[in-house]
Amino acid sequence: MSIKEKMAAKTAAIAPLSRVPRPADANAEPKTGPGKFLAAMPILAEKDRELEAMSAENAELREKLATGARGGVDIPLDQLFEVPGRRRYMPKAKYFELRENLRKNKLIHPVVVRPRAEGGFEIVSGHHRTDAYREIGREHIRCVLEEVTEEEATSGAFYANLLQSDLTDYEKHLGFKRMQERHPDITQAEMAEHAGVDPSLVSRFMAFNELPSEVIDLLSSQPDLLGATAGAALATITRDGRGPQVVEAVRKLALKEIDERQAVKVAAAKSAPASTATPAINKIKVGRSVYCEMRTAKNVVRLQFQSDEEAIEVSAAIKAVLESRAAGRAKPQQDD
DNA sequence: CCTCTTGCTAGTATGATCTC
DNA sequence: GAGATCATACTAGCAAGAGG
């Protein structure tokens, strides 16, 4: 079975409307398509009271749902809400293509939504179609309702996301990270099982976590910079205390001076012996006399003052700066 | 023992070069 | 110019090892 097939099985929770079982009660069988659709949605029956309590706009929408055209109903765009973490990745170029397509053509696949207790609908699938409709100035979009729990909708979107070959490894890492945050007890092996991929791959995705913050910044703006293999290798090198070399290598990679494999080699290369390192010397002067000479060689900074008293006073200030920086480094890395 | 990491390698995608 | 071939870069999975 291919990964795609495995993933399709995993995302079956977000089933097309035709696969939602009909209720046993056929007494009040609706005649219209949307009416039949509503009758097939037990979750909507449960929401009836909430819907009644909703605003006049929502009541009107409910009316529309009951009388709308077959194949879904037109819902005002301002009644659709996005749930974080559920949006699928789409490259900008593809989104523009989609938007222009929708500008000229009819929407073929309706947006899939779930009713919200507080009114309106949350988007299960169709974020980009909704965005495109908003951008081209439409007020409504054709929607179908789906009976899934919030977790099924979010997990389904995440695992379906993994199917997309154009999702970068860094973005997959963010997805797995979010999944782990939602389920702190879930293991990498379990996530791999759900996703239908090898646990070693999940391990490599998770290794992005250990890259230096400068590299994460680069990845935020250029997610395709690093694959999971090179990313994990660089994370290991970072763990070995060679973060600055990793940052330097990834910068070269971003400039396309080297490829991923070379970046790993460059970052892993042992730096030259200390004896051959030429220290950078800076002299801070007061008038014409040298107040302090600062020598920097690799990870060593040496300060030499004219007087012992000055050295003692300045060392207290340096200590405060270092403690502040250390505290900053101890803070957990920012999420995306 | 379970979970995670890592070395190795076959497979795949992509681009460059060659041949017609 | 189009198709064939080759080289390179990268992915993904297996298997073994490390660590708690």
Side-chain angles (χ1 to χ4, degrees):
Chain A
M1 188 187 273
S2 70
I3 289 177
K4 194 161 189 169
E5 287 165 338
K6 288 180 190 171
M7 293 303 294
K10 297 292 177 191
T11 55
I14 304 180
L17 176 60
S18 59
R19 289 164 64 182
V20 176
R22 296 280 308 278
D25 178 15
N27 287 345
E29 189 177 351
K31 298 285 184 284
T32 64
K36 288 178 180 178
F37 162 64
L38 280 171
M41 286 289 158
I43 195 166
L44 288 184
E46 288 169 21
K47 295 287 177 188
D48 269 0
R49 273 196 311 170
E50 289 161 0
L51 279 168
E52 279 168 18
M54 282 178 197
S55 65
E57 197 173 10
N58 268 276
E60 200 180 313
L61 174 59
R62 188 166 179 253
E63 179 67 22
K64 281 183 181 174
L65 279 165
T67 59
R70 193 170 180 163
V73 294
D74 290 330
I75 294 181
L77 289 167
D78 60 9
Q79 291 295 309
L80 298 180
F81 301 91
E82 178 172 351
V83 175
R86 199 178 287 173
R87 174 182 284 267
R88 286 192 188 190
Y89 171 81
M90 181 180 282
K92 274 185 183 171
K94 275 199 176 176
Y95 170 72
F96 294 146
E97 204 176 291
L98 171 74
R99 188 189 61 195
E100 293 317 302
N101 184 295
L102 291 175
R103 195 191 296 278
K104 294 164 194 159
N105 303 297
K106 199 178 160 187
L107 182 71
I108 302 298
H109 302 291
V111 170
V112 181
V113 297
R114 287 178 75 231
R116 302 198 317 170
E118 63 268 45
F121 300 83
E122 62 182 53
I123 304 169
V124 173
S125 162
H127 296 84
H128 299 292
R129 281 164 276 167
T130 306
D131 287 350
Y133 259 50
R134 285 191 174 118
E135 278 194 28
I136 60 182
R138 306 279 173 84
E139 289 179 357
H140 298 80
I141 190 165
R142 182 59 52 98
C143 297
V144 293
L145 296 172
E146 187 54 88
E147 185 186 4
V148 289
T149 65
E150 184 179 346
E151 179 53 30
E152 282 170 341
T154 304
S155 297
F158 167 61
Y159 288 122
N161 241 339
L162 283 174
L163 276 173
Q164 294 184 254
S165 59
D166 44 12
L167 194 68
T168 67
D169 284 358
Y170 177 62
E171 287 157 331
K172 287 174 186 171
H173 149 72
L174 293 176
F176 277 111
K177 193 175 159 188
R178 273 194 289 268
M179 180 62 75
Q180 208 167 40
E181 282 165 357
R182 276 203 306 280
H183 305 281
D185 294 333
I186 199 167
T187 65
Q188 291 184 12
E190 284 168 336
M191 289 194 292
E193 169 74 20
H194 282 301
V197 298
D198 195 88
S200 66
L201 186 55
V202 176
S203 169
R204 287 183 173 117
F205 286 140
M206 298 311 287
F208 277 98
N209 251 342
E210 297 173 56
L211 289 168
S213 55
E214 292 93 332
V215 174
I216 298 296
D217 288 345
L218 284 168
L219 283 167
S220 299
S221 57
Q222 207 181 328
D224 60 348
L225 191 57
L226 273 179
T229 304
L234 291 172
T236 303
I237 296 166
T238 304
R239 225 179 296 136
D240 290 345
R242 268 175 274 174
Q245 287 97 311
V246 168
V247 173
E248 190 51 37
V250 175
R251 285 208 179 111
K252 285 182 177 172
L253 176 65
L255 293 169
K256 299 195 188 297
E257 290 174 7
I258 54 176
D259 60 38
E260 289 186 47
R261 205 171 286 190
Q262 287 171 323
V264 173
K265 264 191 181 175
V266 166
K270 301 272 183 204
S271 38
S275 58
T276 63
T278 311
I281 301 173
N282 283 293
K283 290 181 178 176
I284 294 106
K285 294 184 176 180
V286 177
R288 295 175 66 181
S289 61
V290 176
Y291 161 71
C292 171
E293 183 183 287
M294 183 170 75
R295 298 163 73 94
T296 309
K298 293 170 65 185
N299 62 337
V300 177
V301 179
R302 176 178 177 270
L303 300 173
Q304 185 173 355
F305 297 89
Q306 291 301 309
S307 70
D308 297 354
E309 294 77 19
E310 189 65 17
I312 291 165
E313 276 189 38
V314 171
S315 68
I318 292 171
K319 185 166 176 272
V321 170
L322 294 177
E323 283 171 350
S324 164
R325 287 183 68 86
R329 280 175 171 259
K331 282 178 191 167
Q333 280 179 358
Q334 291 270 317
D335 208 349
D336 58 314

